Amino acid sequence: MSNLKDLDPSLTDYIFFEEYISKPHNYTLNGFMFTLLGLYDWKALNDKYKFDKEKVAEEYFESGVESLAKVLPYYDIDGFSAYDLGHLTFDVRPHIGIGYHGVHIYLLHVLHELTGVRELQVFENIWRYSVE
């Protein structure tokens, strides 16, 4: 787990679950969203079996969704989703892959269905209609 300070110091309080370790952070989008789904599953198991008295999964899931809603505009490249934010943290060309773009749209749809967070649906729609 890291935070978003490599994008801007004002984002230090927003958490991010990295798929790859790098310095500075590259903020891979699909890995982050898959981690959020894993945290959601962990939270659901805890709701049923009460093994996590601290409710760590719930806290991380909610904080992670808040981070996702905040950081999504950084991934938008003229209606397509960037694979990661290396173009901002490493100053390289954006990595855009149509396969990953589809995965991002699908994961945003699922996460919006689970949370109702409006920003997730907004970017799902922006990115979905960019390929139609």
Side-chain angles (χ1 to χ4, degrees):
M1 183 172 68
S2 65
N3 62 41
L4 297 172
K5 73 178 177 187
D6 286 346
L7 293 175
D8 188 287
S10 69
L11 300 174
T12 299
D13 292 336
Y14 291 91
I15 64 170
F16 196 91
F17 300 101
E18 291 286 357
E19 183 172 355
Y20 306 103
I21 297 170
S22 65
K23 288 290 181 186
H25 299 293
N26 64 359
Y27 305 114
T28 302
L29 183 57
N30 67 303
F32 179 53
M33 290 193 286
F34 277 122
T35 300
L36 291 177
L37 291 175
L39 288 167
Y40 181 84
D41 289 345
W42 180 14
K43 174 191 165 317
L45 282 172
N46 185 55
D47 290 346
K48 183 174 182 177
Y49 296 110
K50 309 290 185 226
F51 59 83
D52 179 8
K53 295 180 185 4
E54 317 264 313
K55 297 192 175 195
V56 173
E58 182 175 351
E59 178 185 318
Y60 282 165
F61 176 75
E62 291 173 4
S63 294
V65 169
E66 183 181 350
S67 295
L68 179 61
K70 185 75 170 176
V71 78
L72 280 171
Y74 291 86
Y75 290 95
D76 186 57
I77 309 291
D78 295 328
F80 284 88
S81 62
Y83 172 76
D84 60 25
L85 297 179
H87 62 284
L88 300 175
T89 59
F90 288 103
D91 195 27
V92 296
R93 293 180 60 179
H95 178 189
I96 299 172
I98 195 66
Y100 284 110
H101 184 69
V103 169
H104 295 157
I105 293 166
Y106 181 76
L107 291 172
L108 283 175
H109 179 78
V110 170
L111 288 165
H112 173 258
E113 289 290 315
L114 295 174
T115 66
V117 173
R118 183 182 172 279
E119 292 85 354
L120 308 184
Q121 186 178 46
V122 166
F123 279 92
E124 173 197 349
N125 289 334
I126 289 170
W127 294 342
R128 177 183 308 268
Y129 296 120
S130 70
V131 293
E132 289 185 351

